[in-house]
Amino acid sequence: MSTVAVDPVTARWAGALWNLASSQGAVDQVGKDLERLAAEFSSPAVRAFMLAGDASPAERRSKLEQVMGGFHDLSRRFVGLALDRARMGVLERAAAAYRALSLDKAGVVEGVVEAPRPLETAEVSALEAKLGGELGKTVRLSQRVAPDLLGGVRVFVGSRMIDGSATGRLEGLRRRLLDAPLPTPAAID
Amino acid sequence: MDLRPAEVTSILEKEIENYGGDSRMQSVGTVLSVGDGVSRVYGLDDCMMNELLEFQNGVRGIALNLEEDNVGCVLLGDAAKVREGDTVKATGRIISVPTGDQLLGRVVNALGDPIDGKGPLGTTAADLRPIEQPAPSVVERQPVTEPLQTGIKAIDAMIPIGRGQRELIIGDRQTGKTALIIDTILSQKNTGDGDPTNPEQVICIYVAVAQKQSTVVDIVRRLEAAGAMKYSIVVMASAIDEASMQYLSCYCGAAMGERFRDAGRHVAIFYDDLYKQALAYRQVMLLLRRPPGREAFPGDVFYLHSRLLERAAKLADNAPEINPRYEAGGGSMTALPVVETQEADVSAYIPTNVISITDGQIFLESNLFNSGIRPAVNAGISVSRVGGAAQIPAMKKTAGSLRLELAQYRELQAFAQFGSDLDKATQAKLTRGERLVEILKQGQYTPYKVTDQVAIIYAGTSGALDDLAVSKIADFESAFLEHLNASHPEVAEQIMTAKKGIPDETKAVLDEAIATVKRQIA
């Protein structure tokens, strides 16, 4: 699934940042800054240093200062405030929350399409157009090859799923057969 | 069970033929955490309260906490099969159970699946009913008018229960609570000859919550042996089942009962017991992190019981005109919940809650039980707030004096040891009281017909037994009822149809029969 679990605290911080960025016309710039921050956090050493280690707040600040060269003023303040409040978790997850928010505001949903073979670009865009019409939003699909589906496609968009795969249909058939009303023993006798 | 391959093939053919390739949009989520029978799920945007969820491995769950960023649900199956990151599908169905005639004589679990090894129920999707349903409204009800005969002299005479009433059975462990229920179920055989198709037959539903499996097996055997299982359903969530199943089983039983009630039939439902149900609910709610209140029960533990017991009702005769949900009017569902007390403490949290919800209570006391007074009903503090209206007139009149004389006896009982030092009037009251107490004793699994009850209570309250030794009362009773039913079968009909007390001519017959039997056993 494409959606990432975003905790309410991070969502609130990211929401405040997005509102300010939007009023200053810097949504994309701030978004890029946060992505860079997230990339930094993805390294286990940095993550341990920032979240778990016994580094002092000043050490952490100076470490982040190295990354923040070229950051938008808003991003710098955001990081500064999060450091002051010791919200390291927010810093780590802010990019994901911010991104989800930006997509939501732009009316875009992301999703994954699974199929047993790589799909043609035309097929994916046809799916995107069809789903977009149904959901009333712009749909962006990424691909994943899943040989266990046997045939057809399975699409995850937001918290919805459309299962058109052969495996899914067989599973549905299996369930229906198990649930099918059987004659009671009395009727058999 | 024996299945013919040809039948399986035909079912397969039908299923494959009807199998549509519809790939509808489904709401899905991901398991964030799982443990202790509860799980938190991210996603599931349009999830409903009490919606049935399906986990990747076929395990089912119910959504109980709809929060800002996750859905808290209880698992109804093997939690070990669910793993973090699993996909969860919303089914769009509120949890429901099969209902209807096919369930009679069966033992099912809290989801309505048969567990008695007698094969599938044979119900269809149309027989499914949500387990949580709103109770009938004020206009759809009427006051109780018909009696529900428990077959127990002490109860039918002094704490009468009407159809549609809610009467609590409360007492410590080992005081005969479940025995009282079994007797009541056996007694319902008199309503329609035990034939479940007879519209007069009272249907019995026994919900066993967190009971030992051996106890339930014993009960089912006993009901089967007595031919009472034909008109009964046993819903079992035993001590080994998940806490979620234990707390849901009561609602499941209620949904099955409502099906009959709404069709104009009469139902008696027994919840055994609600204290254990509250414990199961507390466990689930604490795991779901709902805030604990008094004794760590969640704040809505009162509502847990009140909404369940409110579904017991006597429907108005014109209920179908008011609400098309009812097939026929005049049906009833009588609830007899059980609450087990600790050390006879009826002022504990759950007992007081349920006492205030029900229309009366039957107190069973271990002191009485141990001193040989069985059923161990404490008539002094047991009440039935509405059942009096449903008693047959002959019983009402006869039992009126019984109540009074027993009350006087209890007051004087402390002086009994002074014996001959007491004045005549006091001695007479003590003599009478001792015999009445003896009359109200009753063996297990021997429910009495209401007419027999009236006759024997009349014998006691008329004073005819005062000169009979207490030890001979039991002998007298059996001989008297045998003689009466053999020689004067018309008496039963006369008592049943009497408009105001026992008619004088019937009294004359009874007096004569009493004298005859007394001479016989002397």
Side-chain angles (χ1 to χ4, degrees), chain A residues 1 3-8 11-12 131 134-135 156 158-164 168-173 175-177 180-185 187-189, chain B residues 1-4 7 11-12 15-16 18-19 21 23-30 32 42-46 54 58 68-69 87 89 118-123:
Chain A
M1 263 174 70
T3 40
V4 205
V6 174
D7 61 300
R12 240 163 263 145
L131 284 173
E134 215 156 290
L135 293 170
F156 291 97
S159 73
R160 282 160 195 289
M161 177 188 72
I162 300 155
D163 194 350
R169 288 181 189 209
L170 286 171
E171 180 57 31
L173 182 62
R175 187 134 332 140
R176 278 174 61 105
L177 286 174
L182 285 176
T184 53
I188 294 171
D189 289 337
Chain B
M1 135 183 186
D2 175 33
L3 263 184
R4 288 175 197 152
E7 266 161 356
I11 291 168
L12 259 172
E15 288 300 323
I16 293 171
N18 295 340
Y19 186 69
S23 26
R24 277 176 301 113
M25 218 178 256
Q26 276 179 311
S27 186
V28 288
T30 328
L32 287 178
Y42 180 77
L44 289 174
D45 281 355
D46 313 317
E54 224 171 60
E68 191 183 339
D69 58 329
T87 307
K89 277 190 251 173
K118 290 184 186 167
L121 295 172
T123 50

Side-chain angles (χ1 to χ4, degrees), chain B residues 167-193:
Chain B
E167 181 82 11
L168 171 67
I169 301 169
I170 186 167
D172 277 8
R173 67 196 168 73
Q174 289 296 310
T175 50
K177 301 183 297 296
T178 306
L180 204 143
I181 289 176
I182 307 212
D183 281 0
T184 308
I185 296 178
L186 297 182
S187 170
Q188 300 319 308
K189 204 172 179 181
N190 296 328
T191 54
D193 297 323

Side-chain angles (χ1 to χ4, degrees), chain A residues 6-22 27 30 34 78 90-91 93-102 105:
Chain A
V6 174
D7 61 300
V9 176
T10 312
R12 240 163 263 145
W13 279 70
L17 181 61
W18 193 91
N19 285 342
L20 284 170
S22 144
V27 171
V30 171
L34 291 181
F78 177 80
V90 168
L91 282 182
R93 293 182 295 266
Y98 189 89
R99 191 176 139 73
L101 197 64
S102 308
K105 299 275 185 188

Side-chain angles (χ1 to χ4, degrees), chain B residues 246-404:
Chain B
Q246 290 178 9
Y247 109 77
L248 287 171
S249 58
C250 294
Y251 300 96
C252 165
M256 292 171 185
E258 277 170 333
R259 173 80 184 268
F260 293 106
R261 180 199 71 191
D262 297 351
R265 300 286 300 267
H266 298 286
V267 181
I269 183 161
F270 309 88
Y271 305 110
D272 193 5
D273 70 70
L274 289 188
Y275 184 67
K276 293 208 185 80
Q277 193 225 3
L279 293 185
Y281 186 63
R282 175 170 73 179
Q283 178 184 334
V284 173
M285 289 304 130
L286 287 176
L287 288 169
L288 284 172
R289 310 221 169 192
R290 287 213 192 154
R294 183 175 157 188
E295 287 176 26
F297 285 106
D300 64 345
V301 75
F302 183 88
Y303 181 57
L304 172 81
H305 290 147
S306 65
R307 72 172 191 269
L308 172 70
L309 294 170
E310 198 61 13
R311 288 159 76 175
K314 167 78 181 157
L315 288 183
D317 292 330
N318 63 345
E321 293 161 34
I322 302 165
N323 190 338
R325 155 184 160 196
Y326 304 110
E327 279 174 55
S332 74
M333 184 155 92
T334 315
L336 288 133
V338 172
V339 166
E340 185 179 294
T341 53
Q342 315 290 329
E343 302 275 332
D345 181 13
V346 293
S347 55
Y349 190 23
I350 303 300
T352 41
N353 275 356
V354 184
I355 286 173
S356 69
I357 295 164
T358 48
D359 306 309
Q361 61 277 340
I362 298 169
F363 276 102
L364 299 173
E365 279 191 357
S366 22
N367 286 344
L368 294 174
F369 189 87
N370 295 333
S371 61
I373 301 177
R374 300 176 195 178
V377 177
N378 182 331
I381 49 174
S382 298
V383 286
S384 172
R385 290 184 201 123
V386 293
Q391 261 180 322
I392 63 166
M395 176 60 107
K396 200 168 186 175
K397 190 94 176 179
T398 317
S401 48
L402 172 72
R403 217 173 216 299
L404 192 70

Side-chain angles (χ1 to χ4, degrees), chain A residues 122-147:
Chain A
E123 289 175 315
V124 176
S125 37
L127 256 176
E128 283 177 345
K130 180 94 175 92
L131 284 173
E134 215 156 290
L135 293 170
K137 286 185 172 175
T138 315
V139 176
R140 269 189 226 149
L141 293 177
S142 54
Q143 271 207 58
R144 192 189 302 154
V145 177

